[in-house]
Amino acid sequence: MDLNKNKINNEPERLFKGYMIGHKVFNDIYSIVHSYTDSSPIEDLETKEELEQKRTKAEIIKLIPLFSVFDIQQIEKLDQKIKLKKFKNGKVLFKEGDRAEELYIIKSGKVILYKEIQRDKKEMIEIANLGKGDLFGETGIILETQRTLSAIVSSDSAELYMISKDNFLHMLQHHAELSFNLARIQTKRLLARGDILVDYICNYIEVK
C-alpha cells in the first residue's frame, strides 16, 4: 500500500472535520474564551501571600494589579467611592445578560464566575474561582456591554469592595496612569484569549 497516497486521501476528510465545527459549537467556544477577559485573578503567589496579611481597604486595593499605579494616599482619597458589602453563600451577584453597574474586589471569601451553555440540556461551566484580592466585572463597564458571565458567592460568606460604574469611569477619566494600566492589562488578556481560542478549536477537531 502506498502510505503517502493514503495520507493524501485522508487529508480532505481531516480538513472537512475542521470546517464542520458547527456554528453553535463555535459560538459556545468563543463565548467561554471571551469570558476569560472578565476577571483579574491574582496569580502571583507572593502577592497572594502578602494579601493575606493585609486588613485595610487601602492596603488590599494597592496590591491589585489594576490599582498598583496608585499610592496608599491616593487610594485613601478614593475611599468614599469604594463601598464594602457582605454576602451570604449562594448569593448571585449578577447573571449573564445583566447590565454592568459595578466592579467587585474580593476582601474575603470566594466567588465563582460561570457560564451557562445551552446544548442538549443547560450546562454550567465554571470559568474562574476567585478569592481575596481578585477583581472582576470591570470589562462590561468599560465596553458598556451586558454581563457575559454569572457570578455567585461560593464560600459561607464573602466581603466585597464595590465600585459603581459612574465612580469607576470617573477614576479613569481623572487618572491617566490608571487608564494606561488598564489598557496594558486588557491587551495582555486579549493576547491570552486568542491562544485559548486556538487551543479550544484544535482540541475540538482532534476529539471529533
Side-chain angles (χ1 to χ4, degrees), residues 135-147:
L135 177 150
F136 61 98
E138 78 280 15
T139 302
I141 292 176
I142 298 161
L143 299 179
E144 295 188 347
T145 57
Q146 296 176 331
R147 298 292 191 190

Side-chain angles (χ1 to χ4, degrees), residues 28-43:
D28 287 350
I29 293 172
Y30 185 80
S31 183
I32 293 169
V33 175
H34 181 273
S35 300
Y36 278 86
T37 66
D38 282 355
S39 63
S40 300
I42 296 175
E43 298 177 350

Side-chain angles (χ1 to χ4, degrees), residues 34 37-40 66-67 98-104 135-148 163-173 175 178-187 189-190:
H34 181 273
T37 66
D38 282 355
S39 63
S40 300
L66 176 59
F67 295 101
D98 288 349
R99 294 177 59 185
E101 298 294 343
E102 299 93 10
L103 68 85
Y104 302 80
L135 177 150
F136 61 98
E138 78 280 15
T139 302
I141 292 176
I142 298 161
L143 299 179
E144 295 188 347
T145 57
Q146 296 176 331
R147 298 292 191 190
T148 59
I163 305 175
S164 71
K165 175 180 179 179
D166 289 343
N167 283 333
F168 184 54
L169 293 178
H170 183 272
M171 290 179 190
L172 293 177
Q173 290 167 359
H175 298 279
L178 182 63
S179 295
F180 178 80
N181 197 32
L182 177 62
R184 181 172 55 187
I185 291 171
Q186 289 288 335
T187 299
R189 289 185 193 174
L190 288 171

